[in-house]
């Protein structure tokens, strides 16, 4: 966030955006191009960029506050959330609150739910019915890791309940999560996938039968099957993407059928 806010400012005029030339060239007025009338005034562009920067800062503040409340296991009130936003920016609160909630869900796998509409109190809970968050007690910098677990469970589901290790790492790599590289939220991901989540019962990590050289694959573990199901995964995809991918329609029908057959 700090790096983005320290990015070079946009040129104040069109002349400043051009390469520097001789003084004579600088003093010679240029003929406006036919397309120049379609370019919005720099002042409006700067104002829009400034507003977006302000929203990002407020969103980051809200996310930080929500993480502190989650670690403290304290209820969250709307009054507290409003207090995080500057007084002169209260009209931006609905949009910032929505973005912060989405960030908590996608990055950390935490759902912000209203528990008392009358008192406007909220609570953060791991999504999909999962009960593990990976937060280590006594470590201030330990962050929830449920968001990454959700992604892995989704990838396995989309691959037909079993996903090759390279397919999982390919999907995570597009998120900037790579084996052997410490991630600022999730730590070292290989240990999570092949050790921690296997021990916790969320994943099964096994060698592909008859593979030579050996290849490995991931499946849902017994705890994943106990705490969530394919219908919840589909609901999550619909919530995040606004639709279920066309390639998943067969899986969706199968998931609904399995859910109906369960006692």
């Amino acid at each position: 966030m700090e790096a983005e806010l320290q990015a070079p400012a946009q040129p104040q005029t069109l002349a400043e955006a051009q390469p520097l030339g001789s003084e004579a060239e600088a003093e010679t007025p240029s003929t406006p191009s036919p397309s120049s009338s379609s370019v919005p005034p720099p002042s409006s562009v700067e104002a829009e960029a400034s507003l977006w920067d302000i929203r990002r800062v407020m969103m980051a503040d809200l996310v930080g506050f929500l993480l502190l409340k989650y670690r403290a296991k304290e209820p969250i009130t709307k009054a507290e959330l409003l207090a995080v936003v500057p007084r002169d920016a209260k009209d931006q609160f609905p949009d910032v609150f929505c973005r912060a909630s989405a960030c908590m869900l996608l990055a950390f796998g935490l759902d912000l739910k209203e528990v008392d509409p009358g008192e406007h109190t909220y609570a953060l809970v791991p999504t999909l019915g999962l009960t593990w968050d990976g937060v280590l007690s006594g470590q201030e910098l330990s962050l929830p890791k449920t968001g990454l677990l959700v992604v892995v469970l989704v990838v396995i589901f989309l691959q037909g309940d079993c996903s090759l290790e390279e397919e999982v790492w390919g999907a995570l790599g597009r998120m900037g999560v790579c084996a052997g590289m410490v991630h600022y939220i999730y730590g070292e991901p290989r240990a999570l996938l092949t050790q921690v989540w296997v021990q916790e019962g969320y994943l099964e990590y096994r060698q592909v039968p008859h593979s030579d050289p050996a290849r490995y694959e991931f499946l849902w573990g017994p705890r994943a099957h106990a705490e969530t199901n394919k219908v919840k995964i589909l609901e999550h995809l619909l919530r995040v993407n606004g639709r279920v991918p066309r390639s998943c329609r067969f899986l969706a029908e199968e998931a609904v059928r399995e859910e109906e057959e369960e006692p």
Side-chain angles (χ1 to χ4, degrees):
M1 181 66 70
E2 291 179 1
E4 290 176 350
L5 294 177
Q6 293 172 2
Q10 297 184 8
Q12 298 298 313
T13 66
L14 292 177
E16 292 177 18
Q18 305 299 323
L20 295 177
S22 64
E23 294 182 3
E25 291 174 340
E27 292 175 358
T28 303
S30 58
T31 304
S33 63
S35 61
S36 63
S37 59
S38 63
V39 178
S43 58
S44 64
V45 173
E46 292 164 6
E48 184 176 349
S50 176
L51 179 59
W52 172 234
D53 285 341
I54 292 172
R55 286 178 175 173
R56 282 193 297 186
V57 171
M58 289 191 294
M59 185 191 77
D61 289 342
L62 269 183
V63 168
F65 174 77
L66 289 170
L67 286 172
L68 289 174
K69 298 291 281 187
Y70 178 75
R71 289 181 57 88
K73 301 187 183 303
E74 296 176 353
I76 305 158
T77 66
K78 186 176 181 179
E80 290 175 322
L81 295 172
L82 283 168
V84 178
V85 178
R87 185 174 301 177
D88 59 351
K90 298 299 183 187
D91 60 324
Q92 302 295 324
F93 176 78
D95 178 69
V96 173
F97 177 72
C98 182
R99 294 176 184 272
S101 300
C103 178
M104 295 300 294
L105 175 64
L106 296 175
F108 303 106
L110 299 176
D111 260 328
L112 184 61
K113 296 189 174 183
E114 191 172 26
V115 295
D116 189 339
E119 297 293 331
H120 297 293
T121 56
Y122 303 84
L124 285 163
V125 296
T127 192
L128 297 182
L130 304 174
T131 58
W132 181 92
D133 60 13
V135 176
L136 301 177
S137 59
Q139 296 190 19
E140 292 184 3
L141 298 181
S142 179
L143 296 170
K145 302 171 181 62
T146 317
L148 187 63
L149 175 58
V150 169
V151 172
V152 174
L153 293 177
V154 168
V155 170
I156 295 171
F157 165 72
L158 295 179
Q159 294 296 329
D161 299 337
C162 181
S163 182
L164 291 171
E165 182 176 18
E166 54 264 34
E167 293 172 341
V168 172
W169 288 116
L172 298 185
R174 290 189 286 273
M175 299 168 47
V177 178
C178 303
M181 295 180 59
V182 177
H183 191 271
Y184 73 101
I185 295 177
Y186 309 122
E188 206 296 291
R190 179 177 288 281
L192 275 178
L193 272 71
T194 61
Q195 298 175 32
V196 176
W197 290 338
V198 172
Q199 294 169 1
E200 293 288 342
Y202 283 110
L203 294 179
E204 183 179 345
Y205 180 60
R206 70 186 187 188
Q207 183 178 340
V208 177
H210 313 298
S211 61
D212 185 21
R215 301 174 72 191
Y216 292 85
E217 60 189 4
F218 288 100
L219 298 85
W220 282 23
R223 188 172 173 183
H225 284 288
E227 293 182 355
T228 191
N229 56 53
K230 297 176 182 179
V231 171
K232 289 181 180 179
I233 293 290
L234 289 168
E235 291 172 347
H236 177 77
L237 287 173
L238 183 61
R239 178 180 177 186
V240 171
N241 298 323
R243 62 183 179 85
V244 174
R246 183 175 301 176
S247 58
C248 299
R249 289 180 180 175
F250 172 75
L251 295 174
E253 294 172 358
E254 183 181 76
V256 173
R257 185 168 59 253
E258 290 180 4
E259 184 74 8
E260 292 174 346
E261 292 174 353
E262 290 185 0

